[in-house]
């Protein structure tokens, strides 16, 4: 009806430019309108009419005059439209796994999309253009008919599909692209650069959205975060994010293979959104944990395949080595050693200065270790994973040892912890040595003493609650209570002004005043820590004998220091579960005993699946003499893969590394399986197309007709003969006549 009243297609008005064919000056049009309106006003003033009646009649007469003048100037519409039968229109139909999701009891989203296009839309497009059909998922390919779609591909790469089709414009006149999809790009191909590339191509992309814009009665395990490694016998934490539509609760279960190792009820709440929960589970013995995290289904849930995610954890029983050098015998040293000795997975090699020239050593590997209190070579120091320095002055170390200590954190990737004490931190001169550059605070360096007696309570910060250091209990409320009940500390040492990258884990609280107590920051490949007290031993002395909070704190702190330290030979990827069929890219690094790169090493890789089949592997040096190598594993088949690396320098073995990865099959297609309308609207807007829904495709062929891409021709469409214009003229005069008759002013 609207097209009839306008005399032309609505899309002609959207894409065309308005002009006047007479060529008469618009100034004359304006002057005629002004003169006519003045004459109308003068005529109405001679009649005995109230002001509002005169105003209504004047408005109707003026509108009639202006419209008549505009029509006399002969308005036209200059449009560009594609030439019939001389252009190509490409229709891209999503054929990925997410299109297999049921739309109703009898059909899928793909079925609905095909039915909507076959209802006459494709026939109308083909009447004016060369219609070419494509299906796409992980790649785009030509099809003869939409009935040929097989469906179920493991990934969706919308950007790659658009690239493939728009490249046709180099050889054929491509007028438009019709993209039919739910908009879920699981291949990550719709980057900002890709969107800018499509916009600059000058080819309008009309997007057709498929599927509901909001999930319907569905729980989705949207994100799963699990640490890539864990220590044998320890407790690991999985962070689970659940998207829901107001369901009240569910249960999360963690399986190691077919064995359930943890379960937790989760309250979701009545407001739709994202609920995140942290779940603790036992890491178990050394080896690989192939985990499944599963959500219990809610009644009548529409999609169950997105209730599960996989994760792989490497659990190792390698004993972590921590070096602890203390400048004087004190209670803190005794209780730290007691906490570490109870854990066989920690080796605390310690040296405490008993006299100016003699150190009392414990936990050393041989009689010559730490004879002078601190390692005599850089290689010996780099053999540890972490270093703890107590109340010992910086002058006790040589210039070389200070440089080694800095390199230990920066290049080796170890952690350094400085403890408070009479000769510790700023009072020990640590603000004036190279190590000070990597500390999280600018230690005071004046002559005034910063260490002294002060009673204070401890309190976790938000960062401390998230860190393993502050974990006494998995429940946040009980954990805060456990910290609040700790006996007060008896001393405190000022740490100075914090650096921009510093993170405060624990605070010392006196009344309303809180100061940083345990602070850390990353530096290079490692990290540094400062602890501003030497009386945590009071927690053990003033708590019941069975209370293990002091031992737990120190073991967790020592693990936090030691576990991140990398090995000399490593092999790792950006994640442990790969959810498409592309080759998996890992990065290998080979370092010598001093943790310097070995660029000319011989790297041997072997990758085997859980079925025993070997996967092809390609190793490529980085070319930067940094000891890094890119490892591409062609793990196409779904399953768990073991990848083993052996690094050689000539006939000498530098070390070995092993990692595991899982290649899942079609998993990504089951997540975020709703219609991503904002992305589809952006593609259409940036390229000059339009977004369409499946139940409103009638105008699509006409919109393509007025595309400005491909082979186009310019036309001038008259507007003076629009039925709408004559209808308006008649209505204006009829309205005036009826009012005059009603007011008896004919």
């Amino acid at each position: 009806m609207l097209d009839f009243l306008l005399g032309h297609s609505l899309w002609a008005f959207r894409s065309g430019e308005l002009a006047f064919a007479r060529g008469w000056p618009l100034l004359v049009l304006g002057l005629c309108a002004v003169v006519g309106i003045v004459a109308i006003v003068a005529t109405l003033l001679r009649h005995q009419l109230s002001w509002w009646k005169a105003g209504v009649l004047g408005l109707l007469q003026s509108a009639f005059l202006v419209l008549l003048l505009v029509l006399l100037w002969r308005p036209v519409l200059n449009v560009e439209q594609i030439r019939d039968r001389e252009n190509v229109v490409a229709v891209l139909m999503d054929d990925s796994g997410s299109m297999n999701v049921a739309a109703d009891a009898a059909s899928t989203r793909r079925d609905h999309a095909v039915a909507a296009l076959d209802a006459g839309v494709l026939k109308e497009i083909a009447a004016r253009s060369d219609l070419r059909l494509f299906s796409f998922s992980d790649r785009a390919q030509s099809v003869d008919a939409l009935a040929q779609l097989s469906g179920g591909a493991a990934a969706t790469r919308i950007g790659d599909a658009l690239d493939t089709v728009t490249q046709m414009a180099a050889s054929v006149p491509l007028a438009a692209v019709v993209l039919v999809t739910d908009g879920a790009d699981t291949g990550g191909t719709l980057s900002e650069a890709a969107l800018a590339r499509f916009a600059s191509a000058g080819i309008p992309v009309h997007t057709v959205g498929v599927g509901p814009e909001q999930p319907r009665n569905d729980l989705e395990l949207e994100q799963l975060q699990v640490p890539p490694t864990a220590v044998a016998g320890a407790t690991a934490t999985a962070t689970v994010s659940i998207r829901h539509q107001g369901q009240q609760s569910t249960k999360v279960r963690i399986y190691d293979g077919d064995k359930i190792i943890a379960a937790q009820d989760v309250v979701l709440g009545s407001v739709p959104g994202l609920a995140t929960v942290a779940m603790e589970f036992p890491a178990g013995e050394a080896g690989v944990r192939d985990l499944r995290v599963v959500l219990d289904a809610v009644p009548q849930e529409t999609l169950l395949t997105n209730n599960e995610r996989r994760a792989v954890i490497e659990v190792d029983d390698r004993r972590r080595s921590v070096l602890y050098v203390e400048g004087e015998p004190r209670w803190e040293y005794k209780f730290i050693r007691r906490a570490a000795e109870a854990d066989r997975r920690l080796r605390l090699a310690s040296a405490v200065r008993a006299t100016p020239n003699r150190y009392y050593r414990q936990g050393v590997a041989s009689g010559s270790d730490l004879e002078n209190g601190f390692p005599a070579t850089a290689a010996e120091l780099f053999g540890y994973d972490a270093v703890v320095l107590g109340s010992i002055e910086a002058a006790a170390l040589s210039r070389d040892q200070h440089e080694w200590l800095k390199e230990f954190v920066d290049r080796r990737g170890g952690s350094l912890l400085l403890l408070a004490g009479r000769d510790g931190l700023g009072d020990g001169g640590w603000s004036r040595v190279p190590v000070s550059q990597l500390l999280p605070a600018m230690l005071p360096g004046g002559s005034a003493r910063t260490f002294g007696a002060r009673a204070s309570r401890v309190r976790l910060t938000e960062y401390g609650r998230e860190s393993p250091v502050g974990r006494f209990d998995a429940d946040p409320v009980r954990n805060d209570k456990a910290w609040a009940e700790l006996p007060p500390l008896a001393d405190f040492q000022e740490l100075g002004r914090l650096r921009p990258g510093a993170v405060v884990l624990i605070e010392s609280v006196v009344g309303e005043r809180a100061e940083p107590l345990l602070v850390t920051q990353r530096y290079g490949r490692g990290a540094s820590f400062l602890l501003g007290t030497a009386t945590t031993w009071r927690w053990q002395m003033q708590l019941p004998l069975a209370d293990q909070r002091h031992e737990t704190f120190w073991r967790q702190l020592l693990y936090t220091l030691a576990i991140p330290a990398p090995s000399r030979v490593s092999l790792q990827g950006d994640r442990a579960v790969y959810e498409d069929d592309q080759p998996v890219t890992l990065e290998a690094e080979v370092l010598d005993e001093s943790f310097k790169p070995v660029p000319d090493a011989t790297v041997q890789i072997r990758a085997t699946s859980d079925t025993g089949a070997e996967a092809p592997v390609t190793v490529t040096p980085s070319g930067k003499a940094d000891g890094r190598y890119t490892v591409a594993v062609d793990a196409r088949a779904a399953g768990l893969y073991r990848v083993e690396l052996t690094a050689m320098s000539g006939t000498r073995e530098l070390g070995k590394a092993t990692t595991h990865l899982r290649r899942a099959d079609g998993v990504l297609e089951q997540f975020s399986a709703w219609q991503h309308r904002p992305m589809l609207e952006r593609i259409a807007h940036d390229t000059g197309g339009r977004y369409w829904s499946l139940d409103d495709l009638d105008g699509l062929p006409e919109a393509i007709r007025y595309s400005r891409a491909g082979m186009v021709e310019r036309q001038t469409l008259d507007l003076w003969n629009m039925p709408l214009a004559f209808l308006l003229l008649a209505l204006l005069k009829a309205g005036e006549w009826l009012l005059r008759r009603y007011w008896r002013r004919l």
Side-chain angles (χ1 to χ4, degrees), residues 254-273:
I254 301 180
Y255 294 85
D256 179 10
D258 294 327
K259 177 184 177 183
I260 186 168
I261 58 176
Q264 183 173 324
D265 291 316
V266 180
V267 177
L268 301 174
S270 57
V271 179

Side-chain angles (χ1 to χ4, degrees), residues 430-546:
W430 289 98
S431 63
R432 299 185 294 273
V433 293
V435 172
S436 64
Q437 301 173 18
L438 54 87
L439 299 178
M442 301 177 185
L443 298 176
S447 58
R449 305 295 292 178
T450 61
F451 178 72
R454 191 183 82 175
S456 64
R457 295 280 181 178
V458 294
R459 181 175 65 193
L460 287 178
T461 65
E462 289 299 323
Y463 292 106
R465 293 184 180 93
E466 298 173 0
S467 170
V469 176
R471 185 70 59 82
F472 286 149
D473 195 292
D475 181 80
V477 176
R478 293 197 300 266
N479 191 59
D480 284 346
K481 182 180 179 182
W483 277 92
E485 292 174 347
L486 287 173
L489 302 172
D491 60 23
F492 178 77
Q493 190 161 11
E494 294 180 15
L495 303 182
R497 184 160 57 91
L498 299 183
R499 297 186 188 274
V503 175
V504 180
L505 303 179
I506 304 176
E507 294 176 325
S508 170
V509 182
V510 178
E512 298 297 324
R513 181 183 178 187
E515 294 184 65
L517 184 69
L518 178 61
V519 190
T520 181
Q521 78 168 7
R522 297 292 302 174
Y523 188 91
R525 300 183 68 183
S528 59
F529 292 74
L530 297 175
L531 180 59
T533 185
T535 53
T536 62
W537 58 269
R538 289 170 59 87
W539 298 345
Q540 180 63 38
M541 293 294 292
Q542 297 185 15
L543 289 172
L545 184 61

Side-chain angles (χ1 to χ4, degrees), residues 113-342:
V114 171
L117 292 174
D118 284 342
V121 176
L122 294 183
K123 185 176 180 180
E124 288 188 49
I125 296 175
R128 291 194 179 101
S129 306
D130 179 9
L131 180 64
R132 299 190 183 182
L133 303 178
F134 295 84
S135 70
F136 77 94
S137 50
D138 53 344
R139 60 191 179 90
Q141 56 186 356
S142 177
V143 295
D144 294 329
L146 297 182
Q148 297 178 358
L149 302 181
S150 56
T156 308
R157 293 185 171 85
I158 297 176
D160 291 350
L162 288 174
D163 275 330
T164 300
V165 172
T166 54
Q167 285 172 5
M168 291 194 311
S171 56
V172 299
L174 184 61
V177 175
V178 179
L179 176 67
V180 186
T181 178
D182 56 17
D185 181 58
T186 59
T189 58
L190 287 178
S191 63
E192 289 296 327
L195 292 171
R197 187 168 63 251
F198 303 145
S200 63
I203 301 171
V205 178
H206 295 271
T207 57
V208 180
V210 182
E213 297 180 30
Q214 294 294 332
R216 298 172 182 171
N217 192 33
D218 180 46
L219 290 183
E220 177 175 301
L221 205 167
E222 182 171 281
Q223 191 174 32
L224 172 63
Q225 293 180 338
V226 177
T229 60
V231 178
T235 298
T237 302
T239 303
V240 181
S241 297
I242 306 167
R243 184 166 296 280
H244 62 97
Q245 287 75 55
Q247 296 89 344
Q248 293 297 316
S249 63
T250 186
K251 192 165 192 172
V252 184
R253 305 174 194 268
I254 301 180
Y255 294 85
D256 179 10
D258 294 327
K259 177 184 177 183
I260 186 168
I261 58 176
Q264 183 173 324
D265 291 316
V266 180
V267 177
L268 301 174
S270 57
V271 179
L274 197 66
T276 301
V277 60
M279 289 185 62
E280 291 188 345
F281 62 94
E285 300 178 354
V288 59
R289 302 277 85 78
D290 186 19
L291 303 180
R292 286 189 304 122
V293 180
V294 183
L295 303 179
D296 282 3
V298 295
Q300 289 82 48
E301 187 168 352
T302 56
L303 184 62
L304 298 178
T305 50
N306 59 6
N307 286 26
E308 176 180 322
R309 282 190 182 270
R310 306 295 293 262
V312 178
I313 298 183
E314 304 282 348
V315 181
D316 72 87
D317 58 357
R318 179 175 66 87
R319 200 177 186 196
R320 265 60 179 189
S321 296
V322 180
L323 170 64
Y324 180 15
V325 181
E326 185 61 76
E328 59 180 332
R330 56 180 185 164
W331 290 106
E332 194 77 331
Y333 169 81
K334 172 184 177 180
F335 284 98
I336 292 175
R337 276 215 59 87
R338 180 179 293 181
E341 286 173 349

